[in-house]
Amino acid sequence: MPDPILFDSWPSLIRIPLVGLLAYAALILILMLRVSGKRTLSKMNAFDLIVTVALGSTLSTVLLDDGIPLAEGVAALALLICLQYAITWVSVRSPRFQGLIKAEPTLLVHQGRYLPDAMSRQRVTHDEVQAALRQSGQSDIDAVLWVMLETDGSMTVVPR
């Protein structure tokens, strides 16, 4: 029998909001996100982004896959949050470990001059730097002391 396209059954349709509500309540009521700190859902670096995406993916899998019980889904969410907390706890206390999971900011423009080697290494174009200049209210590269590519992918522009 082919998979249903529009409708399978009432129990499967009712399961999604019910499990979604309970999973959401588990995240909030158990205070997993509050206990783990603001960083769990931040975009401080690529590692944080990956954890945020993994949390969303896990939650959606729990909602849509009726083969995964809610308790297992909540356990998976708790595991991801606990691992995020443990890794960031260690990285704050160990500069060597922090270097493994966190990128360093990169200087792209210094005293109004592009740094082509750094831009090439980070795969950043002149147009992207120009867009960052415009966003910061600058129109001329000569008016800029430096442009830094931050660890979260954003660019910081410091005028002269």
Side-chain angles (χ1 to χ4, degrees):
M1 178 180 226
D3 288 333
I5 294 175
L6 296 177
F7 182 77
D8 187 16
S9 67
W10 284 108
S12 66
L13 198 60
I14 293 169
R15 180 189 179 281
I16 292 173
L18 180 63
V19 170
L21 181 65
L22 293 172
Y24 189 77
L27 283 174
I28 303 302
L29 293 177
I30 297 174
L31 300 174
M32 285 193 271
L33 296 175
R34 292 288 290 162
V35 169
S36 65
K38 294 177 184 175
R39 181 166 181 159
T40 301
L41 295 177
S42 73
K43 63 170 197 164
M44 295 180 76
N45 59 48
F47 177 75
D48 296 322
L49 174 65
I50 290 168
V51 170
T52 302
V53 170
L55 285 168
S57 176
T58 301
L59 182 59
S60 69
T61 301
V62 170
L63 287 172
L64 298 174
D65 187 345
D66 60 0
I68 299 175
L70 177 61
E72 289 178 14
V74 170
L77 290 168
L79 175 65
L80 286 171
I81 291 170
C82 289
L83 289 173
Q84 164 77 349
Y85 183 85
I87 287 173
T88 55
W89 187 88
V90 172
S91 73
V92 166
R93 287 154 181 80
S94 169
R96 189 172 183 188
F97 185 76
Q98 183 180 31
L100 291 173
I101 65 164
K102 186 176 179 185
E104 292 293 319
T106 303
L107 192 62
L108 302 175
V109 173
H110 185 255
Q111 295 184 351
R113 297 197 189 281
Y114 290 101
L115 302 176
D117 290 341
M119 290 175 64
S120 176
R121 236 182 3 265
Q122 298 301 321
R123 298 177 316 277
V124 175
T125 66
H126 285 81
D127 290 340
E128 291 168 324
V129 173
Q130 288 294 324
L133 292 177
R134 289 190 299 275
Q135 283 183 328
S136 72
Q138 301 296 321
S139 59
D140 186 16
I141 192 75
D142 294 325
V144 172
L145 182 60
W146 50 263
V147 176
M148 183 75 69
L149 179 64
E150 302 295 350
T151 59
D152 67 356
S154 64
M155 290 187 213
T156 301
V157 177
V158 176
R160 287 185 191 247

